[in-house]
Amino acid sequence: MVISPSKAAARIRAAAVDAFASAGYGGTTTRDIAARLDMSPAAMYPHYRSKEELLFAISFEGHTEALKVVEGADRPGEEPSVRLQELVSTFASWQAGHHSLARVVQYELTALTPEHYRTVVALRRSTTRVVREVVDAGVQSGDFTIPDAEGVTLALMSLCVDVCRWFPAGNYTNPEDIGKLYGDLALRMVGAA
Amino acid sequence: MVISPSKAAARIRAAAVDAFASAGYGGTTTRDIAARLDMSPAAMYPHYRSKEELLFAISFEGHTEALKVVEGADRPGEEPSVRLQELVSTFASWQAGHHSLARVVQYELTALTPEHYRTVVALRRSTTRVVREVVDAGVQSGDFTIPDAEGVTLALMSLCVDVCRWFPAGNYTNPEDIGKLYGDLALRMVGAA
């Protein structure tokens, strides 16, 4: 079987997510990752030249995917309440459904080089901006009553992101259930009319 | 200068929090921690015999402190709204004020031995129980209207815990500001009358 370079790279990223999730980024070597795939470190080198490059690839992919999911959930033609509920619900259930990837993406950011960190932070800001625009639209239309748009947006994003830390827990083992709950809580947080 | 054993142990724990915060638990050796204190690994051994024992001591201390802070903030004689606002506000600002410690305590849990993990999880449950009791009290008195007490409690705890990941950010650089915002948001989340 011939494996295409992009398929091989995807397998390496998946093995790295598993390795980072179980031993942490700092506790994993490129050799550990190669060993999970019965690969030599030399065979991995053409795809990723360092552990940090691999982390960046995972982080970039995860953040790009999260941004796409959030952008794809927005319905600019709808009322702010409908938009916010859909955004938060979709993002929260995505975080639940991808919790291993999301943990690596969220908690190992500080291991990136300054340049890679800036690239990833720009993606995060874009995701936050989608939510912030809906919050602002609701304030402007009078549908939302909030103490501070920055703080409320921060709290909404934080609530969604942290799902990857605790999910699953108790009766919340289904990503859709957490999406539904969080969509409702978001409307309460903005004081939706 | 003679340093008491408990003082030496506290210095070791503080150095370990710094080391874990910068290189992760997996990326830190007991030798790294000893080096931060100009200490030999052998001198550290009587206090903590392994890196995991040190992580457990930090985690136990952090979770015990968080529980004390939350229990101390509860005012059982007051109305549920007053109690919840105070609890959430106090816990959120504590997480902001102790974000380096809190990150180690929250994100490295899986590195603990099963026995140590169970001990720490019991402390977390006690903290959650304080919040849950107030949520239940508000539902019973008719002050709160919520879709599901378990889910709302989970969301309230999650919101507070995640402060340690992002704090400080933007205009939120003061633990008290985040406490005030989150106390208000908590009341909205429970639909306080």
Side-chain angles (χ1 to χ4, degrees), chain B residues 116-138:
Chain B
H116 285 163
Y117 182 80
R118 278 193 293 276
T119 305
V120 167
V121 164
L123 286 168
R124 294 170 81 86
R125 289 220 178 98
S126 300
T127 307
T128 302
R129 206 172 299 126
V130 179
V131 176
R132 176 65 185 266
E133 274 174 19
V134 176
V135 169
D136 286 343

Side-chain angles (χ1 to χ4, degrees), chain B:
Chain B
M1 192 173 76
V2 176
I3 296 174
S4 73
S6 66
K7 210 163 178 176
R11 280 182 63 224
I12 295 169
R13 290 196 302 279
V17 168
D18 291 344
F20 296 158
S22 72
Y25 176 78
T28 303
T29 62
T30 49
R31 189 169 291 274
D32 295 333
I33 299 163
R36 282 177 179 256
L37 296 166
D38 272 325
M39 209 180 217
S40 70
M44 221 166 81
Y45 188 83
H47 301 288
Y48 299 104
R49 282 163 300 172
S50 70
K51 190 172 67 156
E52 192 277 336
E53 207 175 271
L54 192 41
L55 177 64
F56 174 61
I58 292 166
S59 220
F60 185 80
E61 190 184 33
H63 278 95
T64 303
E65 180 70 17
L67 174 58
K68 248 196 281 179
V69 162
V70 169
E71 280 179 338
D74 193 19
R75 315 250 164 85
E78 297 282 346
E79 287 183 11
S81 296
V82 174
R83 289 172 71 188
L84 187 71
Q85 188 167 30
E86 190 64 26
L87 276 189
V88 169
S89 165
T90 304
F91 190 31
S93 57
W94 187 84
Q95 287 284 125
H98 299 79
H99 60 274
S100 291
L101 171 67
R103 273 178 212 164
V104 171
V105 159
Q106 297 296 340
Y107 302 139
E108 308 286 7
L109 273 186
T110 53
L112 294 172
T113 64
E115 198 197 328
H116 285 163
Y117 182 80
R118 278 193 293 276
T119 305
V120 167
V121 164
L123 286 168
R124 294 170 81 86
R125 289 220 178 98
S126 300
T127 307
T128 302
R129 206 172 299 126
V130 179
V131 176
R132 176 65 185 266
E133 274 174 19
V134 176
V135 169
D136 286 343
V139 170
Q140 217 149 21
S141 68
D143 287 308
F144 300 168
T145 315
I146 52 172
D148 172 52
E150 181 191 335
V152 170
T153 305
L154 196 57
L156 290 168
M157 295 302 290
S158 172
L159 202 56
C160 292
V161 165
D162 193 54
V163 168
C164 75
R165 181 184 55 84
W166 61 259
F167 185 87
N171 286 325
Y172 287 87
T173 55
N174 186 333
E176 274 158 41
D177 292 342
I178 197 71
K180 197 183 163 327
L181 174 72
Y182 277 29
D184 287 350
L185 289 177
L187 293 185
R188 289 165 172 245
M189 288 163 78
V190 297

